[in-house]
Amino acid sequence: MDEALEVVEVLADSGLEEALAWILRILGVLAILAGLGLWLLTDAGLLVLPAALILLGVLLLVIPQVLLALTELA
């Protein structure tokens, strides 16, 4: 966890924290859409992969805000 905070701190010092946050958010939305597409548009009986993609997408949407808030507190 310390390494992730150090990376975010270096990005914040260089002014790239917003760009990284938006890239992660876009990847999160794409992962959610891919998971929903696999779940709704295919005839797959196994729902683990779509559920994992949706969960990963939600985490990618939330993680940038949490990391930036932790760096401001530290």
Side-chain angles (χ1 to χ4, degrees):
M1 183 69 177
D2 291 335
E3 292 85 13
L5 288 175
E6 287 178 21
V7 169
V8 172
E9 196 171 308
V10 167
L11 288 173
D13 290 342
S14 65
L16 295 174
E17 73 272 0
E18 284 297 317
L20 178 70
W22 277 107
I23 289 171
L24 289 177
R25 288 178 186 136
I26 290 169
L27 289 175
V29 169
L30 289 176
I32 290 173
L33 290 175
L36 286 173
L38 280 175
W39 181 44
L40 296 174
L41 302 176
T42 61
D43 190 24
L46 185 65
L47 295 176
V48 175
L49 182 61
L53 280 172
I54 292 170
L55 181 65
L56 176 71
V58 170
L59 287 176
L60 285 173
L61 287 174
V62 173
I63 285 175
Q65 295 170 345
V66 172
L67 284 177
L68 290 175
L70 286 175
T71 57
E72 288 177 7
L73 292 176

